[in-house]
Amino acid sequence: MFPTLIGTVVIAGIIGYLTEKFGFTRNGILQSIIICVGGAFLFYFVRIMFGFGFSSPGLNAITASIGALIIVPTHWRKR
């Protein structure tokens, strides 16, 4: 269980960094990583509590990270 949690955080951090680096989002690198890790944590705990998700923890982390970046559009804020 603990290695799955660490793997989820690492995958979410990589997804957050890559989406910012390739220009899919304009949140900032740290903000994108935080959004992805938060979404991955949420989906991880939903999977533990309710059993909802894909069979692969890595696929869960990837979809949760991308979903969090879509749901939390901080690039629309005025700066």
Side-chain angles (χ1 to χ4, degrees), residues 9-43 60-77 79:
V9 170
V10 169
I11 290 172
I14 291 170
I15 295 293
Y17 177 76
L18 290 178
T19 56
E20 191 63 37
K21 195 69 168 169
F22 289 122
F24 292 115
T25 59
R26 293 185 310 254
N27 300 327
I29 292 174
L30 184 62
Q31 290 85 353
S32 289
I33 291 173
I34 290 171
I35 291 169
C36 285
V37 169
F41 266 130
L42 180 68
F43 200 72
N60 283 338
I62 291 170
T63 55
S65 299
I66 293 172
L69 283 175
I70 291 171
I71 291 172
V72 183
T74 56
H75 66 273
W76 294 107
R77 287 187 299 185
R79 295 183 179 184

